[in-house]
Each structure stands twice: as C-alpha cells, then as structure tokens.
Amino acid sequence: MRKAERLFQIVNLLRSRRTVITAKTIADALEVSERTIYRDLQALMLSGVPIDGEAGVGYRLAKSYTLPPVMFTESELRALMLGMQMVKAWAGNDMIQSAESAFEKIQAVLPDQQHYRQIQQPSWLMVPDFMRGKMAQFSDDLNDTIDKRQQITIAYQRQDGEHSTRSIHPLGLIYWGKTWTLVAWCLMRDEYRMFRLDRIQAMTRAEIYFDWREDRNLQHYMQQMESKEAQNACPEVNREFS
C-alpha cells in the first residue's frame, strides 16, 4: 500500500471511531508496524489534519474535520473505470452520456490529473464493445418505458427464425455476460417472458400504463429463479430466446 493510500485509510479509521483508537489497532488494520503509524500520524498532523492524542493512549479526529468531497484510492478509481468501460461497451447512449458526465466531475476534483490519466487507460484492462450493436438499439427507450411502467408492443424474432408480435409490460433488463435480455410480463401468455434485445426488430409504445405489483416485478422474477435453483432443479424459465 502506498503512503498516500495509507494516510487516507488512517483518516478514515479515525473518522469511523467516536472514541480514541490506538496506534497498534491502526497498525494491525493496515498490516504495518506501529512505528510506521506514528510517523504517518505525525505527517498528518503537520499537514493540518486536527488529530488529538498521544502515544500509548490513543488518537481521535476532531469532529469538525471533513474530507474533500471526492477522495479515491487507486484501486477504487480502477473499479470505477471498469464500470464506466462496461457501461460504454454495453449500455445505451443515455447511460453512456451520464457515465461520462459523472467521470468528468470526478476528474475535475482529483488532485493529480496525470495520475488519473494513467488509471483511466490501464494496459491490462479492456472491455470490447464490438458486440454492442443491436443490443443498445432499444435500450434507452426500454429504460424509459420501464421507469414509466408503460406498455409496449415488440416485433420479435425467435432463435428458430419465427417472427411474433407481443404486447408486454416491461419490468427490467438483465445482462448475462453476453447479451442483454428484457424481463417482461407477456399479456398473451399471462406470465413472465424474457426477450433478447438483439432479436427485437421493432418497438412501439402504447398509451397504457400499468401499476407495480408485488407478484409481477423484476425482483419477484429473480426470486422465482433462485427458489427453483435452491430446490436443485433446473429452472424452467420461460425464455423467448431459448
């Protein structure tokens, strides 16, 4: 762990305690020596962090002290960067723009812009977007209809090539690691159905809105799947793409 990250963790430990915390406790938590912690505490105090206490008794942070609004460790930034790359590779345009806007705000308040750029494009991290294509074609509209609980009609092509038209209540989107699927309540079948986004040929909105129901939502659908798996049975999921 770099010294800068260690100092940040020490401040977080001090903030999380209402009473004093000993140097030994901090050292054990960060897996370093007590001598290192004493040096770090001294460095923090010299930099203006209001730490009260003394060796052998313990330390605490003044209640009035607050951290800047955004402070991330290197690993946290990389995790956020991975999430952003996944959004850019697999999500719709609206979500991509939101992710980019959020990262611009983060970048603006980071103290070391060059350090951020190094983290932004690590040589060992890549999320290919060549499969995005049709998967993102309807995702923005679907997100909107899910939020509004608006009924839609889709033209859909099954795996066997058969075409069908379905009126559905869109409930949520699931990404399975290869493709996005829409979980919906099919009005014709009167049950849950899943539709692959890359097989949706067209979509139209109806001026019909549905209410949220405890027995008809994405969480309920997932609970049904988990329940079937818990019974050591292969879940017989109604999938339009299977």
Side-chain angles (χ1 to χ4, degrees), residues 64-241:
S64 59
Y65 180 74
T66 58
L67 288 173
V70 178
M71 287 186 68
F72 296 107
T73 64
E74 182 174 324
S75 59
E76 288 170 341
L77 278 172
R78 284 178 174 165
L80 289 170
M81 198 61 231
L82 173 61
M84 180 178 174
Q85 289 195 24
M86 292 172 70
V87 169
K88 292 178 69 174
W90 302 326
N93 293 328
D94 289 347
M95 193 168 292
I96 290 174
Q97 291 176 5
S98 296
E100 290 177 340
S101 175
F103 258 80
E104 286 176 2
K105 294 176 182 178
I106 293 173
Q107 184 177 5
V109 297
L110 287 175
D112 188 341
Q113 298 298 319
Q114 183 177 4
H115 180 57
Y116 171 80
R117 286 193 293 271
Q118 291 173 351
I119 296 171
Q120 187 178 19
Q121 295 180 333
S123 59
W124 49 267
L125 178 63
M126 180 176 293
V127 182
D129 62 356
F130 56 83
M131 294 183 64
R132 185 169 176 260
K134 288 186 177 180
M135 288 194 292
Q137 183 177 356
F138 297 104
S139 59
D140 289 336
D141 284 336
L142 287 172
N143 279 325
D144 189 51
T145 57
I146 291 168
D147 287 339
K148 294 178 178 177
R149 301 195 186 105
Q150 184 176 9
Q151 181 176 313
I152 61 174
T153 299
I154 60 171
Y156 190 75
Q157 182 179 14
R158 293 170 54 99
Q159 186 176 10
D160 58 10
E162 180 182 344
H163 292 265
S164 65
T165 301
R166 298 292 180 89
S167 292
I168 58 176
H169 290 171
L171 303 176
L173 297 171
I174 300 177
Y175 186 71
W176 297 98
K178 185 177 180 180
T179 184
W180 281 99
T181 58
L182 168 67
V183 176
W185 188 264
C186 179
L187 299 181
M188 182 176 72
R189 302 292 187 185
D190 197 31
E191 61 184 357
Y192 289 117
R193 290 281 171 162
M194 284 210 302
F195 303 89
R196 280 181 50 159
L197 265 61
D198 57 343
R199 291 184 182 157
I200 296 177
Q201 307 296 306
M203 185 192 98
T204 57
R205 303 183 187 220
E207 291 302 318
I208 301 173
Y209 298 86
F210 57 92
D211 295 326
W212 185 89
R213 290 177 48 169
E214 290 187 0
D215 61 344
R216 194 175 296 181
N217 59 74
L218 183 61
Q219 289 71 30
H220 180 259
Y221 170 78
M222 294 302 297
Q223 288 170 1
Q224 284 191 342
M225 290 188 65
E226 292 172 2
S227 177
K228 291 177 181 178
E229 289 185 356
Q231 296 171 6
N232 296 322
C234 180
E236 298 177 358
V237 181
N238 289 317
R239 299 182 182 179
E240 285 296 315
F241 59 85

